[in-house]
């Protein structure tokens, strides 16, 4: 989702840019509506760090820092690519799944992505590296 969605969510729930968030459940609901899911613990932590009040502008800054993908989303995607369920993604698996999903990437482009993620050059991608790359770049 885009920043526009975050702005729309705020306006929908708060009715005005000038009504601050003062409850954890409000923060969680706003983030959820705008495509960012956080745990209760994370929402409490954010509220504490903000001194219990979050303004419209600060909400947008916080929203921008929260990844769009949840850990569960990343794990599900990893499992889709890990065709033989050995907890690794091989180059063959990556190419097969991307082709099946209809991605229009050249073999060279896929090789380059694989090479970038296969830091130890063992020919397989482990979950930790894939997770880290997604968190870093998305």
């Amino acid at each position: 989702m885009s920043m526009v969605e975050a702005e729309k969510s705020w306006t929908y729930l708060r009715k005005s840019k000038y009504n601050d968030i003062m409850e954890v459940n409000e923060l969680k609901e706003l983030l959820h509506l705008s495509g960012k899911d956080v745990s209760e613990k994370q929402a409490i932590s954010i509220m504490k760090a903000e001194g219990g009040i979050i303004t419209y502008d600060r909400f947008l800054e916080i929203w921008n820092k929260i990844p769009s993908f949840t850990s569960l989303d990343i794990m599900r995607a990893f499992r889709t690519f890990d065709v033989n369920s050995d907890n690794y993604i091989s180059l063959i698996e990556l190419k097969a799944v991307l082709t099946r999903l209809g991605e229009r990437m050249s073999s060279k482009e896929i090789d380059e992505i694989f090479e970038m993620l296969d830091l130890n050059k063992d020919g397989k991608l482990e979950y930790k590296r894939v997770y880290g790359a997604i968190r870093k770049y998305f």
Side-chain angles (χ1 to χ4, degrees):
M1 289 201 173
S2 67
M3 183 70 78
V4 172
E5 294 301 318
E7 293 169 354
K8 284 180 184 176
S9 296
W10 178 282
T11 305
Y12 172 75
L13 280 183
R14 306 302 303 152
K15 309 295 183 223
S16 164
K17 289 182 179 181
Y18 306 106
N19 290 335
D20 299 338
I21 298 174
M22 300 203 283
E23 299 289 331
V24 170
N25 61 341
E26 291 175 304
L27 175 62
K28 280 189 65 167
E29 186 176 6
L30 268 170
L31 289 170
H32 177 75
L33 280 173
S34 59
K36 307 280 184 155
D37 288 317
V38 296
S39 68
E40 183 83 13
K41 186 176 179 180
Q42 290 169 313
I44 290 169
S45 177
I46 292 168
M47 288 300 291
K48 282 183 181 177
E50 298 300 319
I53 297 174
I54 299 176
T55 65
Y56 172 77
D57 291 331
R58 188 65 187 124
F59 170 75
L60 295 179
E61 291 173 16
I62 291 166
W63 183 90
N64 230 1
K65 291 179 182 177
I66 297 173
S68 297
F69 300 104
T70 66
S71 297
L72 185 58
D73 293 333
I74 297 169
M75 176 59 80
R76 285 180 181 147
F78 185 88
R79 287 184 178 151
T80 298
F81 285 86
D82 181 17
V83 177
N84 66 1
S85 301
D86 66 352
N87 294 319
Y88 297 98
I89 299 171
S90 69
L91 180 57
I92 292 168
E93 288 172 319
L94 182 62
K95 286 181 178 182
V97 173
L98 287 174
T99 300
R100 189 178 73 223
L101 293 174
E103 285 296 323
R104 297 182 191 263
M105 298 174 74
S106 71
S107 187
K108 183 180 178 187
E109 289 172 316
I110 297 171
D111 290 346
E112 289 171 359
I113 291 169
F114 191 88
E115 188 177 317
M116 180 182 72
L117 293 173
D118 186 17
L119 298 178
N120 62 359
K121 307 301 179 209
D122 65 354
K124 50 190 177 181
L125 306 179
E126 60 189 47
Y127 175 73
K128 182 171 73 174
R129 294 211 194 286
V130 172
Y131 179 88
I134 290 171
R135 286 289 186 215
K136 182 177 180 179
Y137 296 108
F138 300 100

